[in-house]
């Protein structure tokens, strides 16, 4: 199974900050990585597919990059609505696995 | 618009079974696979299995093989997951999700169903 590891697990930041979340895969997944945002009591929302393709309707302050085993999600200027938990997910191979999540908190 | 609406919360005793439904609307049900993903309290999302809604073929995570069954009723545009021999470790929110035709990422999600296993 491919293990997905995110860092940090918790991130405290302020409105307007630029933040970056990292996701590492235990083996190469090419560019088959998605990022989701989840708010308490809600289902995850797909933000980015294929490592860097922004989904329709997702604000352009979100961006993704990476290939192989290391990936990043960047929010260029934090807005109040962005405080949530973020998960990466690999879909390179069966047993589609998620990272443990990064909780983005208000500083 | 695409919607996945799941059945309500359940409370079960250890050893029992639970069946959760996921009714789809706003698209052609048999054209897209439905997956089930669960999230135990404070834990990461965990993929459980999926069903080809066209022909009914299924595939499961090895962790759940033999204890979980995913089915669908195409006429009702509804998918189901049944989990048997429940233990406290099965306490979680269970989500259904629709994937894209060629890649297994989860574009649309149900609202989630909380299953609590407690004696």
């Amino acid at each position: 199974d491919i293990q997905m590891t995110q860092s940090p697990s918790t991130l405290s930041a302020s409105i307007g900050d630029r933040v970056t979340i990292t996701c590492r895969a235990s083996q190469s997944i090419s560019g088959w990585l998605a990022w989701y945002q989840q708010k308490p009591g809600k289902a995850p929302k797909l933000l980015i597919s294929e490592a860097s393709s922004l989904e329709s309707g997702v604000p352009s302050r979100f961006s993704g990059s990476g290939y192989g085993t290391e990936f990043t999600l960047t929010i260029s200027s934090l807005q109040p609505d962005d405080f949530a938990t973020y998960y990466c997910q690999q879909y390179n191979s069966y047993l589609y696995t998620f990272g443990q999540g990064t909780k983005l908190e208000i500083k | 618009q695409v919607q996945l609406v799941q059945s309500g919360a359940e409370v079960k005793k250890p050893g029992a079974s639970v069946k959760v439904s996921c009714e789809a609307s706003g698209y052609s049900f048999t054209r897209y696979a439905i997956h089930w993903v669960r999230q135990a309290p404070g834990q990461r999302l965990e993929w459980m299995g999926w069903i080809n809604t066209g022909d009914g073929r299924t595939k499961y995570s090895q962790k759940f093989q033999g204890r979980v069954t995913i089915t669908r009723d195409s006429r009702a545009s509804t998918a189901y997951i049944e989990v048997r021999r429940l233990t406290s470790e099965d306490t979680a929110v269970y989500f259904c999700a629709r994937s894209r035709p060629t890649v297994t990422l989860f574009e649309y999600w149900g609202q989630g169903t909380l299953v609590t296993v407690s004696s």
Side-chain angles (χ1 to χ4, degrees):
Chain A
D1 302 350
I2 298 176
Q3 310 302 317
M4 306 300 292
T5 304
Q6 291 179 230
S7 60
S9 294
T10 306
L11 180 56
S12 296
S14 301
I15 302 297
D17 283 353
R18 177 185 180 92
V19 298
T20 297
I21 298 168
T22 298
C23 176
R24 290 186 173 87
S26 60
Q27 63 190 76
S28 177
I29 58 170
S30 299
W32 303 116
L33 185 101
W35 288 98
Y36 300 84
Q37 176 193 67
Q38 186 179 34
K39 296 183 177 179
K42 299 295 186 181
K45 173 188 174 183
L46 178 63
L47 299 177
I48 288 172
S49 60
E50 290 185 49
S52 59
S53 295
L54 202 64
E55 291 296 303
S56 175
V58 176
S60 59
R61 62 181 179 272
F62 290 90
S63 63
S65 65
Y67 189 87
T69 61
E70 187 153 334
F71 301 85
T72 59
L73 172 70
T74 298
I75 309 173
S76 60
S77 178
L78 275 174
Q79 299 303 303
D81 192 47
D82 301 338
F83 292 94
T85 300
Y86 293 84
Y87 292 94
C88 60
Q89 178 232 333
Q90 68 82 16
Y91 52 103
N92 179 73
S93 59
Y94 159 71
L95 202 61
Y96 313 104
T97 44
F98 294 82
Q100 81 278 18
T102 295
K103 185 175 183 180
L104 183 51
E105 298 180 329
I106 301 174
K107 187 184 288 184
Chain B
Q1 74 281 19
V2 174
Q3 279 194 303
L4 300 174
V5 178
Q6 298 182 220
S7 49
E10 302 264 11
V11 179
K12 296 291 182 181
K13 293 194 183 303
S17 299
V18 68
K19 191 171 186 177
V20 177
S21 67
C22 170
E23 182 178 1
S25 61
Y27 72 97
S28 178
F29 178 72
T30 56
R31 293 189 63 185
Y32 298 84
I34 291 287
H35 297 252
W36 289 90
V37 176
R38 77 177 187 180
Q39 188 171 37
Q43 301 300 307
R44 72 179 70 194
L45 297 154
E46 181 176 34
W47 178 80
M48 301 179 71
W50 72 283
I51 186 165
N52 180 319
T53 51
D55 62 16
R57 286 183 296 122
T58 55
K59 190 166 187 177
Y60 302 101
S61 166
Q62 193 168 7
K63 176 176 178 177
F64 300 105
Q65 190 81 41
R67 201 166 67 89
V68 166
T69 302
I70 300 173
T71 56
R72 96 296 189 210
D73 179 344
S74 301
R75 288 175 299 176
S77 297
T78 301
Y80 304 89
I81 186 167
E82 181 181 29
V83 185
R84 298 177 291 280
R85 302 190 299 277
L86 291 164
T87 72
S88 59
E89 294 187 354
D90 293 313
T91 293
V93 177
Y94 289 74
F95 293 101
C96 62
R98 194 193 88 170
S99 64
R100 288 191 173 153
T102 56
V103 290
T104 306
L105 53 79
F106 308 114
E107 203 172 17
Y108 295 96
W109 295 70
Q111 82 276 19
T113 297
L114 175 62
V115 175
T116 303
V117 184
S118 174
S119 56

